[in-house]
Amino acid sequence: MRIDVVTIFPGYLAPLREALLGRAIDAGLISVAVHDLRTWTHDVHQAVDDAPYGGGPGMVMRPQVWGEALDAVVGDVPSGEAPPRLIVPTPAGRPFTQAMAHEYAAESRLVFACGRYEGIDQRVIDDAATWMPVDEVSIGDYVLVGGEVAVLAIVEAVARLLPGVLGNPASAEQDSFSDGLLEGPAYTRPETWRGRAVPDVLRSGNHGAIARWRRDRALERTAARRPDLLAALPPTALDRADRAL
Ligand code: 6GU
C-alpha cells in the first residue's frame, strides 16, 4: 500500500516511521511519503490560509494551494487504474470505525489531506470528489488542532490489518470490535501480584470454561462502557448463555 500525507507540519508525521509501522515500511509492505503543503505556494510568505467568507474567527486554507498539491501528489492515474482514495480528517467528518479501517486496508493507495485552522476551502473537497473517492473523517467527538494526529491514528488502524504487518494475525481477529464487543481484561504472570490473584478459570486448562468466562467479561464491560455497541448487535450475535448474563 502507498500512503501520501500532505500537511504544513511534516515533522508531526515522523512517528509513522517508528515501531510496527516503521517495520512495515522497512519490509516494503507500506510506502509512506509526507509532503509539505507550502511546496505549492507561490508567494514570498508561503501563505496557506486566508480569512473566511462570511466573517467569523479563524482562517480557512486556500483552495489554489491545495488544488495544486493534490494534482501533484495524486499524479496522472493510468487509464484503467482506480484513483487513490482521498481522506480528509476533520471533526466535522463521518466517525472513523473498524469497518472503515478494513475498507481502507483493501485500497492500494491512500492520500491524506491535513487541514489546520478552520479547515480547507470546501471547493477543494468538492472538486476532488469529481475524480476520486473522498471521505471526510473524524476520529471522535472532541476537537484537535489539525488532522495530523488523526492521520497517525487512521494509518495505524489500517496498517495493522495488512497481511504481514502483525507478527500474529490472530491478534487482529480477536480485537475489540471484531465481534462487536469490547475485549475483557487480560492477565499474565505472576499468579498473585500485590495480593491480587489471576482468576482461577484462566489457569484451569478448561478451554470451554475459559472461552465462556472471556465472553461474559466482554459482555459485562461492553454493557458498562459502551451500551450503544450492545444495542447495535444483530439479534443473532447473542446466544442463550449471553442473554442469561
Ligand atoms: Cl479528524 N481532526 C480534527 N482537527 N479534530 C478532530 C478530528 C479530526 N477528529 C476528532 N477531532
Side-chain angles (χ1 to χ4, degrees), residues 90-240:
T90 163
R94 232 177 8 127
F96 181 63
T97 61
Q98 188 66 17
M100 286 157 75
H102 280 279
E103 283 173 36
Y104 294 171
E107 302 271 0
S108 56
R109 274 194 78 182
L110 299 174
V111 176
F112 291 91
C114 294
R116 286 253 151 182
Y117 316 110
E118 299 305 304
I120 302 172
D121 187 300
Q122 189 63 37
R123 291 167 294 181
V124 174
I125 288 118
D126 296 345
D127 176 69
T130 66
W131 54 290
M132 64 201 297
V134 180
D135 284 355
E136 293 179 84
V137 172
S138 161
I139 61 162
D141 293 340
Y142 42 79
V143 180
L144 304 170
V145 183
E148 287 77 7
V149 168
V151 171
L152 293 176
I154 295 168
V155 170
E156 186 164 311
V158 171
R160 65 187 287 288
L161 299 176
L162 300 176
V165 170
L166 285 189
N168 180 0
S171 351
E173 282 150 31
Q174 282 180 17
D175 288 335
S176 284
F177 301 118
S178 59
D179 59 1
L181 300 176
L182 303 184
E183 270 194 287
Y187 301 88
T188 187
R189 284 188 282 260
E191 213 174 289
T192 301
W193 179 78
R194 295 192 178 175
R196 297 169 186 273
V198 168
D200 285 334
V201 62
L202 296 180
R203 299 186 300 107
S204 68
N206 180 340
H207 298 297
I210 292 171
R212 186 66 248 168
W213 183 88
R214 286 189 168 144
R215 176 89 180 163
D216 290 346
R217 300 294 81 73
L219 286 161
E220 274 174 4
R221 184 175 272 190
T222 308
R225 299 179 182 178
R226 293 294 305 276
D228 58 308
L229 292 180
L230 266 194
L233 287 179
T236 52
L238 296 182
D239 63 26
R240 188 128 46 101

Side-chain angles (χ1 to χ4, degrees), residues 10-67:
Y12 235 107
L13 284 305
L16 287 177
R17 316 217 176 255
E18 296 279 337
L20 179 99
L21 281 169
R23 281 197 301 278
I25 294 170
D26 294 343
L29 299 168
I30 312 177
S31 71
V32 176
V34 179
H35 312 269
D36 187 340
L37 178 68
R38 293 191 204 275
T39 306
W40 293 281
T41 57
H42 300 288
D43 61 310
V44 282
H45 298 109
Q46 300 194 296
V48 293
D49 60 333
D50 203 341
Y53 272 113
M59 299 288 267
V60 177
M61 295 187 106
R62 302 166 62 200
Q64 304 96 319
V65 182
W66 271 109

